[in-house]
Amino acid sequence: KRRLIEDQSGFRSKMLFYSFFKSLVGKEITIELKNDLSISGILHSVDQFLNIKLTDVSVPDPEKYPHMLSVKNCFIRGSVVRYVQLPAEEVDVALLQDAARKEAIQNKQ
């Protein structure tokens, strides 16, 4: 029973991020991958596994990653993402805090 609760908790967390990222579709974001490659682009879509599709892709250091110059669109598997950098003006901190509080209350029950 405890494992089920933990799994549901993780699922709720993913759904919180999924809903948040869906609200950023069409905005420019930067994703840092676990292999230290950073990719910037316009968020085209995100799914429930937090897989991300970017358009108008660029890299901050093209000399280090010349093979990325020809890439215009990419699909990034959610499990290889280390960080997502968001435009500050698009983040509604109060809304995120409220959603996190609601999730914490649900997890206690």
Side-chain angles (χ1 to χ4, degrees):
K1 187 172 183 179
R2 180 176 223 182
R3 180 178 215 137
L4 178 61
I5 292 170
E6 290 171 0
D7 290 345
Q8 288 175 347
S9 170
F11 178 75
R12 285 188 190 120
S13 295
K14 283 183 183 177
M15 292 309 291
L16 174 64
F17 283 111
Y18 170 65
S19 299
F20 177 68
F21 284 132
K22 279 189 65 146
S23 72
L24 294 173
V25 168
K27 308 294 182 193
E28 184 166 353
I29 63 172
T30 300
I31 299 177
E32 182 182 325
L33 306 180
K34 290 180 181 176
N35 67 358
D36 294 327
L37 172 63
S38 291
I39 302 173
S40 297
I42 306 298
L43 180 61
H44 181 268
S45 62
V46 62
D47 67 14
Q48 69 271 22
F49 302 106
L50 302 181
N51 298 319
I52 296 170
K53 183 175 181 187
L54 295 177
T55 57
D56 299 326
V57 171
S58 64
V59 291
D61 191 3
E63 293 82 26
K64 189 174 179 182
Y65 303 102
H67 58 283
M68 292 298 294
L69 290 174
S70 63
V71 177
K72 298 299 172 205
N73 304 311
C74 70
F75 176 87
I76 301 169
R77 184 179 168 128
S79 64
V80 301
V81 173
R82 180 180 295 149
Y83 299 114
V84 178
Q85 298 173 18
L86 308 169
E89 64 274 3
E90 298 299 329
V91 179
D92 185 346
V93 176
L95 182 65
L96 283 175
Q97 288 174 338
D98 185 48
R101 267 190 226 100
K102 287 180 184 175
E103 181 181 325
I105 290 169
Q106 285 178 345
N107 289 340
K108 288 182 182 180
Q109 295 174 351

